[in-house]
């Protein structure tokens, strides 16, 4: 029986197109594959995930605010909003639960504008460049530490 709140796994713009979107960079796994991976990873610890994706900044801010009330931890791939969103950063700064920022690609090995993240200073930790496995590792960490 799961007693801890779900781990929220929130995903930003264009991640709905995983699998077909620049597969040389993001791989061939689809967003549905990521959802399955997250569920399987959490189930090992008898925990649950709530995996969502939006192309809209305000929707992501709403979900981070919701996580304050309902989540035991947060995995966040803010996608392009990583590099632009003060609003998302401010919402995250109000969260008391641990936050793992995940990037499928190694943002530090790409264009210079991807090296800066508004999110990293308010995240507990950051995983980048390990493909979709980064989601599983982030969930593993949160299941071991966040109640
Ligand atoms: C990304 C990296 C971002 O720079 C990019 O805008 C994305 C995906 C990643 O998962 O590697 O959309 O967050």
């Amino acid at each position: 029986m799961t007693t801890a709140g779900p781990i929220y796994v929130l995903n930003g713009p264009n991640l709905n197109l995983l699998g077909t979107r620049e597969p040389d960079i993001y791989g061939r796994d689809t967003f549905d594959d990521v959802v399955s991976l997250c569920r399987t990873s959490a189930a090992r610890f008898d925990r649950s995930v709530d995996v969502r994706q939006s192309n809209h900044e305000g929707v992501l801010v709403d979900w981070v605010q919701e996580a304050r009330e309902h989540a035991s931890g947060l995995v966040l791939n803010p996608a392009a909003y990583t590099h632009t969103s003060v609003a998302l950063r401010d919402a995250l700064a109000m969260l008391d639960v641990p936050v793992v920022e995940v990037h499928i690609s190694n943002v530090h090995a790409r264009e210079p504008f991807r090296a800066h993240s508004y999110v990293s200073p308010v995240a507990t930790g950051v995983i980048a460049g390990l493909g979709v496995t980064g989601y599983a590792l982030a969930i593993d960490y949160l299941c071991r530490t966040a109640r």
Side-chain angles (χ1 to χ4, degrees):
M1 192 54 186
T2 301
T3 51
I7 292 166
Y8 277 29
V9 184
L10 304 182
N11 294 275
N14 301 307
L15 291 171
N16 53 315
L17 297 180
L18 276 179
T20 53
R21 173 195 183 198
E22 299 183 272
D24 292 349
I25 296 173
Y26 298 112
R28 299 249 171 225
D29 286 318
T30 65
F31 185 72
D32 283 349
D33 293 333
V34 170
V35 174
S36 299
L37 175 65
C38 291
R39 288 198 181 132
T40 306
S41 304
R44 286 199 191 100
F45 294 86
D46 196 22
R47 299 283 290 273
S48 65
V49 287
D50 189 336
V51 189
R52 306 179 192 178
Q53 187 277 333
S54 176
N55 292 327
H56 305 280
E57 185 176 13
V59 172
L60 292 162
V61 169
D62 286 344
W63 288 345
V64 171
Q65 290 185 9
E66 184 188 309
R68 289 176 76 204
E69 306 296 326
H70 300 291
S72 58
L74 173 61
V75 177
L76 176 64
N77 184 345
Y81 291 136
T82 308
H83 318 298
T84 63
S85 181
V86 176
L88 209 44
R89 181 236 173 265
D90 286 352
L92 290 163
M94 293 186 284
L95 264 189
D96 290 329
V97 295
V99 179
V100 183
E101 177 185 350
V102 169
H103 299 285
I104 296 164
S105 65
N106 180 355
V107 284
H108 299 286
R110 300 180 61 193
E111 302 94 326
F113 69 84
R114 293 186 203 274
H116 177 261
S117 167
Y118 280 100
V119 169
S120 298
V122 290
T124 310
V126 183
I127 298 171
L130 303 184
V132 297
T133 303
Y135 289 88
L137 296 171
I139 289 167
D140 187 283
Y141 167 78
L142 291 172
C143 287
R144 288 172 195 277
T145 57
R147 288 273 139 207

